[in-house]
Amino acid sequence: MPELKKSIGWKYIQDTKFDRQKLHKIRRLNIKPVALYKIYKDVQFIKFSNIIEIKNNLSTTIKNRKSHRDYKKESVTFEELGTILWHSYGIRENVTDFPFRNVPSAGALYPIEIYVYANNIKELKKGVYHFNIMDNGLECLTFGEFGDYLVNACLGQRFVTQAAAVIFFTAFFRRNMSKYGDRGVRYIFLDAGHIAQNMILCCEALGIGACSVGAFFDDEINRLLGIDGEEESIIYLLSIGKKKM
């Protein structure tokens, strides 16, 4: 136990606990809020015009879910990618101009941004894209082949370069911490889990394999996405592709 108490993780959990006696004394952080979504201006935008209706049995889909690291060379279609992104993080409804999405989020702040490296997506050039949730489409950031870069950035995990796409989850820390302070970091990782599970189950229902990736060199991925690693930083990756039977 003494060695556990020396860890940063243990200290963070203890320091961000809610306590009935001390709740009113929690120090408020003077962090300015930020917009609830990110949009890139002056870049090419490609809209998802059709979302596939998924009719699979939920119980069967959950039972069949497992991590897949071996993919066919077959493309994932643009329509399938759009279906996965919308079901996992798309806008369900607008209430007084407030965009509620297909996952829960503390305070409806949605601190996660989604990026995609399209490696083998039909009708889509290889490159890095950002998911524009307001207009339900992809913003083109950088075209090119980044498979080898990703393998190196993911500690040699070669299956990421065989995937049809790698999906990146980044955290906009300020978006949560402006309201919830230090405890808000907890909620960011909860949000990522909600989104990822939707995404993985959606993949399974479409016959697409998916594998969560937590081992990567953070700043190398941040550089690929063109983000600073401070206000916004990578926290999670997911590879997807047509699975081999």
Side-chain angles (χ1 to χ4, degrees):
M1 190 64 174
E3 72 281 7
L4 177 63
K5 291 184 177 181
K6 294 178 181 178
S7 69
I8 294 172
W10 186 89
K11 187 175 187 303
Y12 171 76
I13 294 298
Q14 303 309 311
D15 289 349
T16 57
K17 282 182 176 179
F18 278 169
D19 180 279
R20 288 184 182 275
Q21 307 303 317
K22 301 176 183 177
L23 185 59
H24 66 286
K25 297 180 180 179
I26 291 177
R27 180 173 59 96
R28 298 288 294 182
L29 301 180
N30 186 24
I31 298 176
K32 294 180 180 179
V34 69
L36 295 179
Y37 50 84
K38 187 175 183 179
I39 292 179
Y40 286 84
K41 298 180 179 179
D42 303 320
V43 298
Q44 182 183 355
F45 174 76
I46 309 172
K47 186 173 180 59
F48 293 119
S49 57
N50 187 39
I51 301 300
I52 300 168
E53 183 179 356
I54 297 176
K55 299 180 179 180
N56 295 52
N57 178 275
L58 179 59
S59 179
T60 300
T61 301
I62 291 172
K63 288 178 182 177
N64 289 340
R65 185 226 59 83
K66 62 181 180 180
S67 296
H68 289 273
R69 296 176 179 83
D70 199 6
Y71 308 112
K72 294 179 181 178
K73 293 183 179 180
E74 180 182 348
S75 299
V76 166
T77 68
F78 183 68
E79 184 180 53
E80 288 171 329
L81 177 62
T83 298
I84 293 165
L85 294 179
W86 185 84
H87 279 91
S88 61
Y89 208 39
I91 296 175
R92 183 182 71 250
E93 60 180 337
N94 274 292
V95 179
T96 60
D97 295 324
F98 199 92
F100 287 98
R101 309 190 199 179
N102 288 325
V103 286
S105 178
L109 295 173
Y110 304 104
I112 305 299
E113 292 288 332
I114 301 293
Y115 298 78
V116 178
Y117 167 54
N119 181 49
N120 190 11
I121 302 296
K122 195 172 183 180
E123 302 175 0
L124 203 59
K125 288 183 180 179
K126 287 191 177 188
V128 177
Y129 300 79
H130 173 253
F131 180 39
N132 178 327
I133 61 104
M134 294 303 294
D135 299 313
N136 192 39
L138 294 179
E139 296 163 332
C140 313
L141 304 183
T142 309
F143 293 121
E145 161 65 64
F146 299 105
D148 289 340
Y149 183 95
L150 275 173
V151 171
N152 289 329
C154 293
L155 282 66
Q157 299 178 85
R158 292 216 60 83
F159 66 88
V160 296
T161 195
Q162 298 163 0
V166 177
I167 300 173
F168 307 90
F169 298 49
T170 68
F172 242 107
F173 301 107
R174 182 182 296 270
R175 209 175 281 169
N176 263 43
M177 295 181 72
S178 61
K179 180 174 183 178
Y180 296 113
D182 289 325
R183 190 176 172 93
V185 177
R186 293 189 185 207
Y187 304 150
I188 289 172
F189 289 102
L190 291 175
D191 272 34
H194 300 324
I195 300 163
Q197 184 71 343
N198 270 20
M199 202 170 282
I200 291 166
L201 292 178
C202 188
C203 284
E204 178 61 38
L206 294 171
I208 294 170
C211 184
S212 301
V213 179
F216 46 80
F217 294 111
D218 302 59
D219 286 335
E220 292 183 20
I221 300 295
N222 289 334
R223 282 195 290 272
L224 175 65
L225 302 180
I227 58 179
D228 63 10
E230 296 181 358
E231 289 281 335
E232 180 184 6
S233 185
I234 186 69
I235 59 170
Y236 198 173
L237 273 67
L238 190 76
S239 66
I240 67 170
K242 289 299 178 73
K243 55 189 177 185
K244 290 184 177 179
M245 299 300 180

